[in-house]
Amino acid sequence: MTEWDEQKRRESKFRTFLSRIPKEHSFDAEDRAALRTLARYAKVFPAKHIFKYFGESKPDAVLILDGVAARVRLTEKGSRRILGFVLAGELSIAPTSTAYATYELIAQGACLAVTVPWYTLRMLEQEHSNIRRFLEWHAQKEICVLQDKFVAMSGAQVEEKLTYLLEDIYSRLENVEKAESGRMSLPLKQRDMADAVGASVVQVSKTLSKM
């Protein structure tokens, strides 16, 4: 693949991110041009790469262009607990509440991604008011996502947790026309789903076969 082809691939993947932005966050031509410059810094990260620890005072943002990353927190017993997934075309920035800001973002497989330094985010916010409002909304949304998952997973059975997880992923893929008519290409392994719902791989496998 030539450098030109690679640049085109990055821009194509970046359009998926732009298509995910809600219509109420209208961007003008200058806003979109500023955001598109981020695609130039995309590169492929290997599986298990730790993008950032979201407990730092000035964490980078991470834009996944292709692949899947997981928000992971270590439990007191030393095991990992997946708090949620960041799919292709989605941005992960630190939540505004410190109660939900202590986790790592880890590539679940090879990922094409952009890490956006904290100072770059601040510069975008200062120069583009529409982008600033979008980033403020997105940071608050991160809290809502983590809160909703905590409520949905608390006290539920494995089948209920898996149903919530699959429906959530389906709706997000459907928004960018990557799922339709009840079908999708699931970008997760059973081990990932097991970590996300707090069950064993065997439990997940048996439950999926019944669904």
Side-chain angles (χ1 to χ4, degrees):
M1 181 180 291
T2 66
E3 184 176 344
W4 172 257
D5 290 334
E6 179 61 24
Q7 182 63 30
K8 285 295 184 182
R9 184 174 79 94
R10 293 176 183 180
E11 291 177 356
S12 174
K13 297 295 184 182
F14 195 78
R15 283 194 291 272
T16 300
F17 161 65
L18 292 177
S19 70
R20 285 186 180 275
I21 296 174
K23 293 181 179 179
E24 58 265 29
H25 293 283
S26 58
F27 292 151
D28 58 29
E30 290 185 0
D31 296 331
R32 289 180 175 273
L35 289 172
R36 284 196 179 94
T37 61
L38 300 178
R40 301 175 186 173
Y41 305 103
K43 64 179 183 178
V44 176
F45 295 86
K48 307 306 177 186
H49 174 80
I50 300 176
F51 289 103
K52 199 67 178 176
Y53 173 65
F54 284 87
E56 299 179 2
S57 59
K58 298 179 180 180
D60 296 346
V62 179
L63 172 60
I64 303 297
L65 295 179
D66 198 14
V68 180
R71 299 180 180 94
V72 180
R73 176 181 290 171
L74 290 178
T75 67
E76 294 180 354
K77 296 181 179 180
S79 60
R80 73 173 196 162
R81 182 67 186 274
I82 292 180
L83 303 178
F85 297 99
V86 183
L87 307 181
E90 294 184 344
L91 176 70
S92 182
I93 58 180
T96 53
S97 170
T98 56
Y100 295 95
T102 54
Y103 60 82
E104 294 176 330
L105 189 68
I106 303 177
Q108 296 303 94
C111 282
L112 177 66
V114 181
T115 56
V116 186
W118 177 86
Y119 60 83
T120 300
L121 287 179
R122 300 290 79 79
M123 182 179 67
L124 285 172
E125 289 181 339
Q126 291 170 8
E127 297 179 355
H128 302 272
S129 59
N130 291 329
I131 294 177
R132 174 179 54 77
R133 285 190 289 270
F134 165 71
L135 291 175
E136 290 173 348
W137 168 82
H138 200 290
Q140 186 60 39
K141 178 188 172 188
E142 291 262 321
I143 297 177
C144 294
V145 168
L146 295 173
Q147 286 176 331
D148 289 348
K149 182 179 184 298
F150 177 79
V151 172
M153 297 298 186
S154 297
Q157 299 298 313
V158 173
E159 184 172 350
E160 293 173 311
K161 293 178 180 180
L162 277 174
T163 298
Y164 171 84
L165 177 64
L166 295 174
E167 288 180 347
D168 174 61
I169 292 174
Y170 181 88
S171 67
R172 288 154 67 188
L173 292 176
E174 187 178 35
N175 287 338
V176 290
E177 300 180 351
K178 292 184 178 295
E180 62 178 347
S181 302
R183 294 180 178 275
M184 66 177 171
S185 178
L186 190 62
L188 304 175
K189 297 179 180 179
Q190 289 190 7
R191 165 64 65 184
D192 301 328
M193 290 188 281
D195 289 341
V197 301
S200 68
V201 175
V202 173
Q203 284 178 300
V204 167
S205 179
K206 288 182 178 180
T207 303
L208 288 175
S209 64
K210 297 177 183 178
M211 296 175 71

